[in-house]
Each structure stands twice: as structure tokens, then as C-alpha cells.
Amino acid sequence: MKEVLMGYQGEMSLKGLNKHTFEEALMKILRYRLKPLGEFKVYCAQSTFYMEPMSDDIDMDEAFERVSKVFGLAALSRSVVCEKNFDTICQVAEEYLGASLRDVRTFKVDAKRADKTFPMQSPELMRELGAFLLSKHPHLRVDVKKPQFKVCVEIRDYGAYIHGPKIPGECGLPVGTSGRALNLLSGGIDSPVAAWRMARRGLALDHIHFASPPYTSDRAKLKVMALASKISVYTGGCNLFVVPYTKPQEYIRDNAPDVLFTVLMRRSMMRIANQIAKRIGADALITGESLAQVASQTLKALQCTDSAQDLPVLRPLIGMDKNEIIETSRYIQTYETSILPYEDCCTIFTPPHPKIRPEVSEILEAEANMPGLAELEAEAAEAAERIRIRLGEEIEFV
Ligand code: ATP
Ligand code: MG
């Protein structure tokens, strides 16, 4: 029996004339994800993506796992396809799903007939196939409301597709269809979640990390690489820019009022991120900031950070509670890495009492007293190290 993977469109199906652009983008991603496993034929018809293995030795568990993490699919199934003939459908359904039916007590058959030339209407097909399966498994009972198992048959142009219950997909839009952004990635819990959320809205992304050696160690960098590699199963391969931030940071420490240090540093980071974003053609910055989480994330502080540069700053976690962010970080499997100890440049030199409601005017005044900062920032941006993070590459950090 030959299995086929099927992916069902979600939000993409609401797109108008440019729908095919989204479909093409998603097919390209699916092909890319599947390619290392063997040859697949990937195509889209009737708002469904089909992924057909071209040889028998392909690891379909791994294939399913890979495509289930691709944004743009609302649901997925693993099906077998057979001739559109009622007797064949019965035989194949029993052969493919009989073992699953042996393990449950209630079931139902769901049928969809996209090909209207098929002689049986859906209710009749459900009834007749249900009766056939009951005859094979007399311990079963039909429960149309809450079945323990669902046998699905879809009569489509290319054949009859038989599968068990659909599995929910990651939803969202295919990565790259919304443009490109640069994500500010620290080693904490929040910023990997922010990256995941924005990639889910169709953004292709690269990461930028600020390191301040010797205050921060190579281990901190390794941690960020490990996080970027964990989210690459969703975002795809990407670049991680590591900015040597020691000099601008020391300069701010030595030349600015203590209480404004953090917000001045965040503005400085934004300016550097802006320079790198423009170099790589990214049209927005992403951060893991959440309103009022810390002193630098009050409305006033965010206003100061926003006005430092001209790209939009996307903050997908702005309205999320920490426990919700943690839940997502567990889901995307970055949590265990995020909670391991590390030094972040944001936490060195921080004053004990940062100003919670800084005014833009006082910030500009403080910056006017730091004439050497812009040059240090330009040098740091220039010296950024580019690390290529490959899709699914395991980077150990323990
Ligand atoms: P996280 O848990 O992601 O570290 P946080 O709650 O610790 O976030 P902050 O340290 O104030 O908050 O940082 C806010 C955001 O600024 C982070 O989510 C991240 O986007 C960015 N950021 C902080 N430190 C760095 C860094 N060293 N390099 C790049 N971006 C950073
Ligand atoms: Mg942090």
C-alpha cells in the first residue's frame, strides 16, 4: 500500500487572486523539507497539498514529522490512495486502518465526494463502508458524535484517499510570504517564542545577538546558536549575526546617567540591528518584549526604544503573560535550553534602580553627551560575525 501525505490549507484558502503565490511558496518549502528523505512528487489540487513518495524505502514517519512543522497547513493526514471503486475502498480501508479499529470500541466513517461523478453520494458511502467495517469488527459500535476513531474517505479527482483522523497543523502562513525581518535573539525564554510567532505569520527571519566579551562568554553565544537551531525546524535555516557589543556598552556606562543606562543601551542595540537589517534586506525588527515585564518594557521606555530607528519593531509577545510565553516555549521545545544559566549583555552594568518612565527628551539629551557612540555602533555592526544555522542541525548546549 502506498502512503501519501496530505496537507490542508487554512488561512491561505481565504486569499484572493494571489492565492497561487502562497501555494507555490508552500510547495517549495515542502519539497525542500522532504528532499533529504528521498524523491517526492509535491503538488496542489483542490486546496490540498499532496506529497507522494516516489520510492518505497522512504521514512514516512520522519516525512510526516517534518511537514507537520511547516507553517501554512491547518491540518494533515497520512492516507493511502486507491481506485475509486466501492469494493476496493472497503478492502483498502480494512487493510490500512483495521489494526487501529481493533484497539477502539466506537468509530464513524466520514466521506467527502469532491468528484461528483462517483456514483455513491457521501451519506450512502459512509453507511455502506461503515456496515462493511462493522462486519469485520463486530465488537465496534458506531458513534457519530464522539467516536474514538474516525475512518475518512475523500473521493477526489486522482483517486479515493483513505485515512484516519486528521492531525492539526501549525496553521499560519508559509515562511517568506510576508517578507523578511531581523529577530533580536537573547538566550532567554521570550525571544525564541517571538521568532516562532512571527515566522508563523509568514516572515522569513535572521537573528541578531549582542555579545559583550569578556563580560559574556562563548557559552552564551553557543546557547543562542542552540536556540536558533531549535527554531530552525519552523523558520528554516537562517543567519545569526553576533555583534561584538563591548565597546558601545562600556561607552554608555561611562558617559551616561546610571538610571538611563538600560534604555540608552536598548536604543543603541536597535540602531545596530537597523544597520544590519538594511544590509540584509530585512524590513522589520522583532523583539521578545512584553508590556511591563521589566523597566525597559513600560510604554514610556518602549517609546524611547521605538524612536531610536525607523524600521517597524514587531513585538508579538506584547500582550502575553509570562506563563503563556513559557507554555509556547515548551511547545516549540526551546524552554529547556532557555532556562540553562548564561550571561546576557542586557544584565551587565544594569543600575539597581532604572528609570521606569524615561522621557524621549532626556534620552536625546543624554545621547547628545555621547558624541563617540555612533562610530562605535557602526564599528560593531561592521564587525558582526555571521553564523549560518542550518535547518535541523543539532547544536549541543547542556
Ligand atoms: P528574553 O527572555 O528573550 O531574554 P527578557 O524578558 O529577558 O527577554 P530583556 O532582557 O529586557 O527581556 O530583553 C528584551 C528583548 O530584547 C529580548 O526578548 C530580545 O528580543 C532582546 N534582547 C535582549 N538581550 C539581547 C541580546 N543580548 N541580543 C539580542 N537581543 C537581545
Ligand atoms: Mg533576557
Side-chain angles (χ1 to χ4, degrees):
M1 266 187 309
K2 187 175 164 180
E3 270 193 312
V4 178
L5 305 183
M6 290 166 85
Y8 305 88
Q9 289 184 6
E11 193 174 329
M12 204 188 299
S13 61
L14 305 173
K15 298 284 172 198
L17 290 175
N18 59 351
K19 185 173 149 183
H20 74 277
T21 322
F22 289 85
E23 292 176 346
E24 288 298 329
L26 184 52
M27 281 192 286
K28 206 169 147 194
I29 295 170
L30 294 172
R31 285 189 194 107
Y32 187 74
R33 295 286 165 105
L34 292 169
K35 201 171 161 198
L37 302 178
E39 199 188 332
F40 275 83
K41 186 172 157 197
V42 176
Y43 54 96
C44 177
Q46 294 166 308
S47 295
T48 303
F49 297 91
Y50 297 81
M51 292 151 267
E52 249 182 76
M54 301 311 282
S55 58
D56 297 334
D57 56 348
I58 291 180
D59 181 347
M60 292 299 278
D61 292 339
E62 176 63 18
F64 190 77
E65 172 69 20
R66 285 182 179 216
V67 297
S68 67
K69 297 218 160 55
V70 170
F71 293 129
L73 296 174
L76 296 110
S77 68
R78 266 172 95 153
S79 316
V80 286
V81 56
C82 70
E83 209 185 307
K84 289 183 272 187
N85 164 298
F86 178 68
D87 290 334
T88 313
I89 291 171
C90 289
Q91 298 309 324
V92 172
E94 169 59 17
E95 201 181 324
Y96 187 48
L97 300 172
S100 306
L101 289 170
R102 276 191 281 281
D103 293 339
V104 296
R105 306 211 69 78
T106 62
F107 85 116
K108 84 181 253 196
V109 176
D110 226 356
K112 273 210 187 82
R113 190 182 59 134
D115 171 11
K116 302 291 179 205
T117 64
F118 186 72
M120 290 167 94
Q121 291 193 356
S122 302
E124 186 188 358
L125 179 55
M126 291 192 237
R127 212 171 44 239
E128 296 299 323
L129 178 57
F132 172 82
L133 292 170
L134 273 176
S135 74
K136 295 282 176 191
H137 304 272
H139 73 284
L140 283 178
R141 191 167 54 79
V142 174
D143 181 345
V144 289
K145 288 220 176 85
K146 261 191 156 183
Q148 288 171 327
F149 191 80
K150 215 154 71 166
V151 172
C152 307
V153 189
E154 302 184 49
I155 309 289
R156 292 172 170 254
D157 288 350
Y158 299 113
Y161 292 81
I162 298 165
H163 57 86
K166 287 182 189 173
I167 310 291
E170 287 291 337
C171 299
L173 295 167
V175 164
T177 53
S178 301
R180 176 169 294 276
L182 184 60
N183 179 53
L184 279 79
L185 188 62
S186 70
I189 295 170
D190 305 333
S191 45
V193 174
W196 179 81
R197 286 203 158 255
M198 292 323 302
R200 194 167 183 238
R201 294 307 303 159
L203 278 177
L205 40 99
D206 291 313
H207 305 284
I208 180 171
H209 176 70
F210 294 87
S212 287
Y215 307 106
T216 64
S217 67
D218 260 5
R219 242 181 94 68
K221 180 165 115 183
L222 183 65
K223 182 179 190 188
V224 173
M225 288 168 62
L227 287 171
S229 97
K230 285 206 172 230
I231 33 183
S232 72
V233 294
Y234 298 100
T235 61
C238 58
N239 293 308
L240 166 65
F241 294 91
V242 179
V243 178
Y245 190 58
T246 317
K247 282 186 188 161
Q249 196 170 14
E250 287 177 336
Y251 185 85
I252 300 171
R253 178 197 61 188
D254 297 341
N255 293 281
D258 233 25
V259 289
L260 298 180
F261 170 79
T262 307
V263 70
L264 287 166
M265 179 185 67
R266 298 201 58 79
R267 278 170 61 89
S268 158
M269 287 178 160
M270 290 303 202
R271 284 188 293 262
I272 296 173
N274 176 293
Q275 290 176 34
I276 293 183
K278 292 204 168 143
R279 199 191 300 161
I280 62 170
D283 290 324
L285 304 179
I286 302 169
T287 77
E289 289 163 312
S290 167
L291 188 63
Q293 194 188 72
V294 287
S296 63
Q297 295 171 25
T298 63
L299 277 186
K300 283 286 189 188
L302 294 177
Q303 185 187 5
C304 292
T305 316
D306 271 346
S307 58
Q309 54 83 50
D310 60 1
L311 286 174
V313 180
L314 308 176
R315 298 183 172 97
L317 313 188
I318 198 71
M320 286 175 80
D321 279 359
K322 194 74 186 184
N323 54 359
E324 292 167 330
I325 300 170
I326 289 175
E327 204 177 301
T328 310
S329 87
R330 284 188 198 278
Y331 175 73
I332 64 173
Q333 295 185 6
T334 51
Y335 181 75
E336 297 301 331
T337 305
S338 288
I339 57 171
L340 295 170
Y342 79 112
E343 328 84 36
D344 184 48
C345 76
C346 264
T347 52
I348 57 176
F349 313 151
T350 17
H353 301 292
K355 193 154 190 180
I356 291 169
R357 289 183 199 82
E359 293 294 340
V360 176
S361 56
E362 62 183 329
I363 290 295
L364 294 178
E365 202 178 309
E367 283 178 354
N369 290 324
M370 295 193 287
L373 185 56
E375 196 181 329
L376 293 176
E377 287 172 358
E379 279 169 16
E382 195 53 45
E385 177 192 6
R386 186 179 74 100
I387 300 171
R388 185 73 202 151
I389 304 290
R390 287 178 208 293
L391 170 62
E393 178 188 6
E394 297 262 342
I395 297 177
E396 278 278 330
F397 180 83
V398 283

